[in-house]
Amino acid sequence: MKRASIFDRLQQRHSVSEPLEEPSVARCDYVSGRLRIIDGLALTAGGFIRSGDIPEPPTPELSSTLYGSDGCRLLMHPVSDTTSVNEPQLGRLDAKALRLHQLVQTVMAEALMMLEAVPKESAFDILLSAPVRSPEAASLIQERLSGAVADTQYGAYLGEIRLAEQQDPHAALAVGEQGGMPYVLWIGVDSLVNEGDIASMQYRDILVRSSRGDGLYPGEAVAVLLVQRLTAEVLEFNSGWRLDAGIRREHAPRAGRRDYDKRSALVELLGDLWPATQDDASSPAPSRLVVDAIGMPGRGVELGGAVIERWPGIDTIDDALGVDALVGWSGEATQVLLFVLAAAAIEPEGHAVVLALHAESHTQAWALRSYAVEVARRVEDHS
């Protein structure tokens, strides 16, 4: 199905009237360890994920060309509806990079539309998390991305486009002496439905096999998160979610640890991330848990036991979302997709805990707290 061009689609939108602000410029005095998540979207095998709109998990497709180590054709989650691109040079440099470029171009119209939520004429950067190994291919993708934005009403407000060197959101969005713009479109994209990535997953023994139920289906996705870097003068808002610095814990490989030890360690991590208080109203439980790879061996037991102990009222079946269960394993896109899914799954007054459990030797966690709830609480306390 042919999609309308990004230029045509953006011209159909009426710009939202916003109070005028001083023109934003690059600065380097942003507050460390705190970001504001405003909105997000993602394109997956199941379709678009947006605020309040999460498609049902699609049935994995049987590949006609890719096979597992047992000789059987692989089940996977490819994205079917993408924009056609004519980039023979990029294809010659790196076939996977061409697919990543195609996925990014498919969502750029929708991604730029999210900028309607920020004050008019606000400048923004684009941060790209993508496993592009060729420097020439990376430069070409960034050049085409810049050109796509330049053809729209947002072209005059684009700061820099750069590749992310870190996966943690605070590290990825950090600015150096050159500074950065207050708003960021953080794009994460990856595609594992190719022979090279399949071989890597088989080597790591994380693919679903017919002989066992645990494991991951290879997939692909592109996710875009609209984030605001914060200054000391502006830290409170009426909407969006506060994302403070996360927690990372190193530990012995999961495969060699007892269930009790894994559960206890995760309970301790959740307690540090979301401290319990005597007044539950001042620290309500998260309404959603978002996990990167709940289908990996032992992760479901580890998560379920820890959540029951920390938040007895939360049901990991109804209240937890596994990225891998929804869209398959999407490699480097997963880090951005985690936060897009969290923002899409909760109400404006909801909170979420985001967990990365796929790694054998470390666990990461972040908390998303609603600004709307904080504002309401301050008003109530003042009254």
Side-chain angles (χ1 to χ4, degrees):
M1 181 175 68
K2 182 179 179 181
R3 288 175 173 268
S5 73
I6 179 175
F7 182 80
D8 292 339
R9 298 184 72 188
L10 285 171
Q11 292 304 311
Q12 295 171 6
R13 301 280 295 209
H14 298 288
S15 59
V16 178
S17 178
E18 295 282 354
L20 292 177
E21 289 188 350
E22 292 295 324
S24 52
V25 295
R27 52 193 297 176
C28 55
D29 61 341
Y30 295 108
V31 174
S32 175
R34 179 168 294 189
L35 297 166
R36 177 192 177 207
I37 291 180
I38 301 173
D39 200 359
L41 64 87
L43 176 62
T44 71
F48 271 98
I49 295 174
R50 298 185 179 90
S51 178
D53 185 10
I54 300 176
E56 292 295 320
T59 302
E61 296 182 14
L62 196 62
S63 173
S64 59
T65 59
L66 297 173
Y67 295 82
S69 57
D70 56 3
C72 297
R73 288 190 293 170
L74 288 172
L75 290 167
M76 54 185 54
H77 288 284
V79 175
S80 57
D81 184 15
T82 56
T83 299
S84 297
V85 297
N86 183 23
E87 291 289 351
Q89 181 183 356
L90 185 57
R92 288 192 297 269
L93 288 170
D94 186 339
K96 177 171 176 174
L98 177 61
R99 179 56 175 171
L100 302 184
H101 171 64
Q102 185 178 28
L103 289 167
V104 171
Q105 289 296 321
T106 301
V107 302
M108 279 311 297
E110 286 83 356
L112 290 174
M113 288 175 190
M114 291 194 297
L115 293 171
E116 295 180 357
V118 309
K120 191 175 181 181
E121 299 183 0
S122 295
F124 65 99
D125 293 327
I126 292 180
L127 187 67
L128 182 62
S129 293
V132 183
R133 310 309 176 198
S134 163
E136 294 85 356
S139 296
L140 191 56
I141 290 175
Q142 292 175 82
E143 180 183 327
R144 297 295 187 266
L145 192 51
S146 177
V149 178
D151 288 338
T152 73
Q153 66 204 58
Y154 299 104
Y157 311 110
L158 175 62
E160 69 166 351
I161 299 177
R162 65 176 173 87
L163 291 176
E165 298 179 356
Q166 304 288 338
Q167 287 295 299
D168 177 82
H170 298 89
L173 272 69
V175 299
E177 295 181 356
Q178 79 281 0
M181 298 304 178
Y183 297 96
V184 182
L185 286 175
W186 185 18
I187 304 173
V189 60
D190 204 350
S191 173
L192 276 65
V193 291
N194 58 77
E195 289 185 2
D197 286 308
I198 293 297
S200 176
M201 293 180 72
Q202 288 183 149
Y203 177 78
R204 295 162 56 199
D205 196 27
I206 61 175
L207 275 176
V208 169
R209 296 202 307 259
S210 56
S211 59
R212 71 178 186 199
D214 294 331
L216 304 174
Y217 293 105
E220 57 183 358
V222 54
V224 188
L225 197 66
L226 177 58
V227 186
Q228 183 177 3
R229 296 175 173 131
L230 304 179
T231 62
E233 302 87 42
V234 184
L235 287 174
E236 301 298 334
F237 303 90
N238 294 323
S239 63
W241 295 271
R242 192 184 85 209
L243 178 62
D244 292 333
I247 295 176
R248 178 185 172 110
R249 294 281 165 79
E250 307 287 340
H251 48 68
R254 283 184 160 88
R257 301 166 68 201
R258 297 184 305 162
D259 288 343
Y260 174 80
D261 294 333
K262 291 186 290 184
R263 182 174 65 249
S264 298
L266 187 54
V267 168
E268 181 181 352
L269 184 152
L270 293 175
D272 293 340
L273 180 75
W274 203 285
T277 64
Q278 292 182 345
D279 180 10
D280 290 339
S282 66
S283 183
S287 51
R288 285 285 193 173
L289 304 172
V290 181
V291 188
D292 59 347
I294 201 169
M296 291 279 284
R299 270 51 167 197
V301 174
E302 178 182 353
L303 176 67
V307 170
I308 289 174
E309 186 169 337
R310 177 63 185 86
W311 295 296
I314 293 181
D315 188 329
T316 54
I317 296 178
D318 294 333
D319 301 321
L321 293 172
V323 172
D324 60 321
L326 283 171
V327 301
W329 182 243
S330 303
E332 292 189 23
T334 305
Q335 190 70 8
V336 182
L337 189 53
L338 276 167
F339 297 99
V340 169
L341 186 56
I346 55 180
E347 299 293 331
E349 299 80 16
H351 308 300
V353 164
V354 173
L355 289 167
L357 301 180
H358 76 277
E360 272 293 302
S361 300
H362 71 262
T363 300
Q364 291 178 277
W366 299 265
L368 272 68
R369 297 181 183 273
S370 168
Y371 275 114
V373 169
E374 293 184 355
V375 169
R377 185 180 299 124
R378 287 198 303 272
V379 171
E380 183 177 349
D381 292 343
H382 181 72
S383 301

